[in-house]
Amino acid sequence: MSHDLTKIDRRTVLGGLAATAMGGTTGAFAASPPLPTSPVALNLIDVGGALALMQRAFDDYKAANPKLISRLTYVKAPAPELASKIKAQQDAGRADLDIVLTGSDGLAAGLDQNLWLKILPDFNDKFPNIEENYEPAALNLHKVQGAGFGVVVNYYPSGPLIEYMPDRVKAPPTTAEELLAWAKANPNKFMYARPANSGPGRTFMMGLPYILGDKDPQDPVNGWEKTWAYLAELGKYIEYYPAGTGATMKEFGDGSRDIIISTTGWDINPRALGIVPKEAKVGTIKGFHWVSDAFFMCVPKGVPNDRLAVVLDMMAYVLTPKAQAYAYDEGYLYPGPAVKNVPLSLAPKASQDVIAEFGRPEYADLIANNPIELPLKPDKMVVAFRKWDELVGSKANKK
């Protein structure tokens, strides 16, 4: 690559607007620190899986900017370890991690302990017109979940979807009542994973209040009376709840289960990998709302200005269409891009081939014509996980 990605491609996505043209922002902009005169070494930690989608984009930035970055090291860790790791470094006066890729769980833990640097609007000059360039649902996540401390890098509408084998399920359920009746008539053939450890399980739990018409879908304590009763009744016909989504896909693929809960990415990717038969079908339940999900980029407090300048520049690059197109991957977070104007045709041929073979034409219509809701706020999500464990999960294997 001979051109400077940070100068050319950012103009493509951000429209070349000066920071002073940013709509809907008041007050003076803080200037981001100047780029260093000698290259710096950076450390990136991933606690959610976004690196699987975006590592090539970060690699592209490094390759195109040898005068800015000498080494980019990738580290992976479980999300629950993130906050304590960063806090220990900050308490010791060190800044060993420069950029964090995380889901809403790691983002929330860092916010709770005041670990994150405020990125927006403090450094608006690096991200002109960012809000206008996000997909609408990604923008909602960016504003409400990120709150200026986490910048959405990947987004997908998620689910909840039901996934079934058409040769074993001749009349798939189309309502919540039908799903319950099917599970009762076919005990141990329906499954979903524990919500605290599963994206599909989480979206099923958060999506049911919309489907069932509960009082307040954003209040799992006082607004989910129908949801908790439904999940408890449904649980009578579920053998057990796996600790993660992968087990549900394996048991669905080997014929142990006939219907599972899925999402767009968990539908496409396991079929592309051969874990689930290609012939599997998906459906929605009457009253269906998408419950969206995202990966965020965060910066720990204490990163020195020379490294911070490059981190901000790199973050702006990975929000360009060329970089965002990598997010199609093998359907893992379908569609994946968080910004507008990223058609599949921009993605690598391998990604295009996977989506062409294993994607579903109906997803475009489902995404366009059904409401896309925010997930629970992080503190409410923790409460919902606890209630599910108490009211639903604890009853498993005690039937």
Side-chain angles (χ1 to χ4, degrees):
M1 284 168 287
S2 59
H3 59 275
D4 184 339
L5 293 169
T6 65
K7 294 177 180 175
I8 295 176
D9 286 355
R10 191 181 315 124
R11 291 197 186 105
T12 306
V13 66
L14 302 178
L17 299 181
T20 52
M22 177 127 173
T25 304
T26 58
F29 296 139
S32 57
L35 291 167
T37 55
S38 58
V40 297
L42 299 179
N43 295 309
L44 180 155
I45 187 169
D46 173 30
V47 298
L51 201 56
L53 307 178
M54 300 305 294
Q55 181 169 338
R56 285 179 291 179
F58 289 107
D59 286 345
D60 283 355
Y61 177 88
K62 178 184 179 298
N65 292 280
K67 294 182 179 179
L68 295 179
I69 181 166
S70 59
R71 185 177 73 251
L72 180 55
T73 303
Y74 300 115
V75 182
K76 295 181 182 179
E81 297 178 6
L82 176 66
S84 58
K85 184 186 291 284
I86 292 175
K87 189 172 191 313
Q89 292 178 6
Q90 292 176 344
D91 288 349
R94 303 198 323 270
D96 296 341
L97 298 171
D98 300 288
I99 182 170
V100 177
L101 300 182
T102 179
S104 56
D105 47 2
L107 170 68
L111 286 171
D112 185 56
Q113 298 193 44
N114 195 29
L115 303 180
W116 304 132
L117 182 71
K118 189 73 179 291
I119 298 170
L120 296 169
D122 297 41
F123 303 116
N124 274 342
D125 61 314
K126 279 292 183 182
F127 304 93
N129 218 30
I130 185 172
E131 293 192 358
E132 288 81 354
N133 280 284
Y134 270 131
E135 290 285 351
L139 176 60
N140 286 340
L141 286 156
H142 174 77
K143 284 181 171 180
V144 177
Q145 305 284 112
F149 294 90
V151 177
V152 170
V153 63
N154 300 126
Y155 145 81
Y156 81 137
S158 191
L161 305 169
I162 63 165
E163 189 163 2
Y164 62 94
M165 288 305 300
D167 59 334
R168 304 198 296 267
V169 183
K170 303 299 185 184
T174 59
T175 67
E177 294 75 21
E178 288 178 6
L179 178 60
L180 181 58
W182 187 94
K184 185 175 183 179
N186 300 272
N188 300 334
K189 289 296 186 178
F190 171 73
M191 172 179 271
Y192 67 98
R194 180 176 179 245
N197 298 89
S198 166
R202 192 158 58 240
T203 58
F204 183 50
M205 180 186 72
M206 292 189 289
L208 273 174
Y210 298 100
I211 291 169
L212 298 173
D214 246 327
K215 186 167 65 175
D216 185 353
Q218 290 291 318
D219 184 356
V221 175
N222 300 308
W224 284 20
E225 183 179 353
K226 295 176 182 177
T227 295
W228 295 126
Y230 182 88
L231 288 172
E233 181 67 20
L234 186 63
K236 295 177 181 178
Y237 315 110
I238 295 173
E239 185 174 3
Y240 79 107
Y241 301 97
T245 313
T248 71
M249 295 294 159
K250 181 177 181 297
E251 295 192 25
F252 179 60
D254 69 20
S256 302
R257 318 294 164 182
D258 293 341
I259 299 180
I260 58 171
I261 295 297
S262 194
T263 63
T264 57
W266 276 103
D267 162 41
I268 295 172
N269 190 248
R271 289 189 298 119
L273 296 176
I275 298 166
V276 169
K278 183 179 179 180
E279 299 75 35
K281 299 292 186 185
V282 294
T284 59
I285 298 298
K286 183 180 179 182
F288 164 75
H289 290 213
W290 295 102
V291 179
S292 57
D293 207 353
F295 287 132
F296 299 85
M297 297 182 285
C298 301
V299 179
K301 290 180 177 178
V303 175
N305 275 353
D306 57 345
R307 284 152 51 192
L308 176 61
V310 180
V311 164
L312 294 170
D313 201 60
M314 184 164 63
M315 288 170 64
Y317 168 67
V318 298
L319 293 178
T320 63
K322 175 182 170 61
Q324 286 280 300
Y326 286 126
Y328 283 102
D329 188 53
E330 292 182 327
Y332 169 63
L333 203 79
Y334 184 82
V339 304
K340 299 173 183 173
N341 304 315
V342 188
L344 181 59
S345 59
L346 277 184
K349 185 176 185 302
S351 294
Q352 294 185 44
D353 291 346
V354 166
I355 303 303
E357 184 172 358
F358 297 97
R360 299 196 189 271
E362 61 262 38
Y363 279 151
D365 179 70
L366 283 172
I367 293 169
N369 295 308
N370 287 282
I372 301 177
E373 308 291 351
L374 289 168
L376 292 175
K377 290 184 178 179
D379 57 334
K380 296 284 184 70
M381 196 179 292
V382 171
V383 171
F385 291 157
R386 189 180 305 125
K387 283 188 72 72
W388 185 94
D389 286 345
E390 293 170 358
L391 299 175
V392 184
S394 65
K395 306 298 190 289
N397 300 319
K398 295 180 181 178
K399 299 187 276 289

